[in-house]
């Protein structure tokens, strides 16, 4: 019996809209990363990008549980000695909520060329407005 291997030009892509109003950051990010990878499809192939496009709205209304808003830090390093920059998630969500959610999803995708291609299919918006009506996206309810 032969295994099915998806080919990049044969992949059918759908568009989904996800509303993050009241959703938990990590749970939503992991489910969206699964859709971007294509692991929710029976044609999933690890070395081929078989995922769908995801439009995320209301990224500023995402929720962090417990004391994470003040205690958890968003970190990056300038690669110079003493170049560690830390920002609490409360500050980061107030300034750039799109980046916070995109970064959470990026860290759940594979590193390398394939992961970067998958991340390009994620569109994150602060409010309820987006400019992808022409693609006729379907509303997707995330499970808890």
């Amino acid at each position: 019996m032969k295994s099915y291997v998806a080919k990049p030009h044969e992949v059918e892509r759908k568009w989904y809209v996800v509303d993050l109003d009241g959703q938990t950051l990590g749970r939503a990010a992991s489910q969206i990363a699964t859709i971007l990878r294509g692991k929710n499809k029976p044609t999933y192939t690890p070395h081929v990008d078989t995922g769908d496009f995801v439009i995320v709205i209301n990224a500023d209304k995402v929720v962090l549980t417990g004391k994470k808003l003040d205690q958890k830090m968003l970190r990056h390093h300038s690669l110079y000695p003493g170049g560690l920059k830390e920002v609490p998630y409360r500050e980061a969500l107030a300034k750039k909520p799109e980046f916070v959610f995109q970064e959470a999803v990026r860290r759940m995708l594979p590193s390398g060329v394939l992961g970067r291609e998958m991340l390009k299919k994620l569109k994150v918006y602060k409010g309820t407005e987006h400019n992808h009506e022409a693609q006729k996206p379907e509303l997707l309810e995330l499970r808890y």
Side-chain angles (χ1 to χ4, degrees):
M1 190 151 133
K2 291 193 174 196
S3 297
Y4 175 78
V5 178
K7 299 182 183 52
H9 62 289
E10 294 176 353
V11 177
E12 295 286 327
R13 300 206 193 279
K14 288 177 142 182
W15 284 75
Y16 295 108
V17 175
V18 177
D19 188 3
L20 288 185
D21 192 6
Q23 298 279 336
T24 307
L25 176 69
R27 290 177 188 268
S30 65
Q31 291 175 36
I32 288 173
T34 302
I35 294 167
L36 290 172
R37 280 194 87 175
K39 290 187 107 176
N40 59 334
K41 295 181 175 183
T43 59
Y44 171 70
T45 307
H47 65 279
V48 178
D49 184 8
T50 58
D52 297 320
F53 288 87
V54 178
I55 303 162
V56 174
I57 57 175
N58 288 327
D60 53 342
K61 296 181 182 170
V62 75
V63 175
L64 273 83
T65 57
K67 298 180 181 178
K68 291 186 196 128
L69 273 175
D70 298 314
Q71 291 180 351
K72 189 174 172 73
M73 299 287 183
L74 187 63
R75 295 179 174 92
H76 67 277
H77 203 286
S78 67
L79 302 180
Y80 284 96
L84 179 66
K85 311 288 185 200
E86 293 182 327
V87 179
Y89 266 77
R90 183 180 302 276
E91 241 178 80
L93 278 171
K95 287 184 182 176
K96 43 189 176 182
E98 300 99 337
F99 174 76
V100 171
F101 189 77
Q102 187 170 1
E103 191 67 8
V105 173
R106 182 189 68 82
R107 292 175 180 183
M108 295 181 185
L109 292 174
S111 57
V113 178
L114 189 62
R116 288 191 293 274
E117 287 297 316
M118 291 172 184
L119 191 63
K120 287 179 187 175
K121 296 185 313 230
L122 176 67
K123 317 293 181 190
V124 185
Y125 297 97
K126 189 187 300 191
T128 58
E129 300 296 319
H130 64 85
N131 56 359
H132 300 285
E133 284 85 14
Q135 283 75 25
K136 298 181 183 76
E138 301 173 21
L139 184 64
L140 181 68
E141 287 291 324
L142 297 180
R143 62 191 187 286
Y144 280 93

